[in-house]
Amino acid sequence: NEEALFADRIVRGAPTAEEAAMGWAGPITLIDVTLLNIATAKTEAYDVQVDYRLETAGLGTFDFYSIGTWNRRNLTQTKAGEPTIDNVGFSGGVLQYKINAGATWTHRNVTMGWNTGYFDSYLTYGALAYPLTAAQIASRQRLIEIQGSTKVDDQMYHDVFAKYRIARGAAGSPF
């Protein structure tokens, strides 16, 4: 019962003597159901992107790129009166760092490239307000036991590709 949080949106009539004796507040006579923001979120993050193209006369074109995000804070409050929680680096939250970088080379009909993505480590449990209850501590311990660690290590993935463009109307080409 969160009526106290929305006292100005709920109107009650006077309780009968019997209701008052049982500790009841009285019948609801009006509920204000107009829209209301009850949660908040504030993010502080920095994004950086760099692109560079090098065109050469005999070796083709080289493209280099990188984009990264640094999430400093991701503060959420699920309802009025609840504590604000920073979700950065927790399961279900946002990663502190994410980076994507790569390069491509194109020369005549050939293109080759490499891309890598970096994902920061994060804790295996969700962010909670302190102090933790006994049930929350037990739940965290179960998650840590299932994962085998308090965190998921950072990860890096690599993709390599190559393509050859068959000239239009070339012998044996269906195009």
Side-chain angles (χ1 to χ4, degrees):
N1 183 0
E2 303 286 356
E3 188 175 326
L5 292 175
F6 309 105
D8 59 332
R9 299 179 71 84
I10 299 172
V11 178
R12 290 184 173 273
T16 64
E18 185 180 321
E19 290 171 334
M22 294 190 308
W24 291 1
I28 295 174
T29 59
L30 176 82
I31 299 176
D32 180 353
V33 294
T34 58
L35 297 177
L36 173 70
N37 285 329
I38 61 170
T40 61
K42 181 180 180 184
T43 298
E44 182 181 340
Y46 299 96
D47 295 320
V48 175
Q49 181 172 348
V50 176
D51 296 292
Y52 180 74
R53 172 171 273 195
L54 174 64
E55 295 183 9
T56 67
L59 297 176
T61 302
F62 298 87
D63 290 297
F64 304 93
Y65 57 90
S66 180
I67 186 168
T69 298
W70 172 31
N71 288 299
R72 290 198 56 201
R73 290 183 187 82
N74 187 48
L75 305 172
T76 58
Q77 182 183 32
T78 56
K79 62 182 174 183
E82 292 289 320
T84 301
I85 298 173
D86 190 350
N87 298 290
V88 173
F90 288 91
S91 178
V94 298
L95 300 177
Q96 186 170 16
Y97 298 103
K98 286 190 342 183
I99 301 169
N100 187 10
T104 60
W105 167 70
T106 303
H107 184 62
R108 297 187 183 122
N109 294 358
V110 177
T111 301
M112 299 174 85
W114 160 79
N115 184 72
T116 188
Y118 171 80
F119 301 89
D120 200 11
S121 64
Y122 60 92
L123 296 171
T124 57
Y125 47 84
L128 297 171
Y130 288 94
L132 298 178
T133 65
Q136 291 170 325
I137 292 170
S139 176
R140 271 195 180 173
Q141 276 309 119
R142 280 192 304 277
L143 289 171
I144 292 168
E145 288 169 12
I146 290 168
Q147 177 65 31
S149 174
T150 58
K151 71 175 187 166
V152 174
D153 289 332
D154 56 346
Q155 301 163 45
M156 187 175 290
Y157 297 94
H158 299 275
D159 297 304
V160 178
F161 66 91
K163 72 177 182 178
Y164 180 82
R165 180 180 297 212
I166 299 171
R168 216 175 256 277
S173 170
F175 306 107

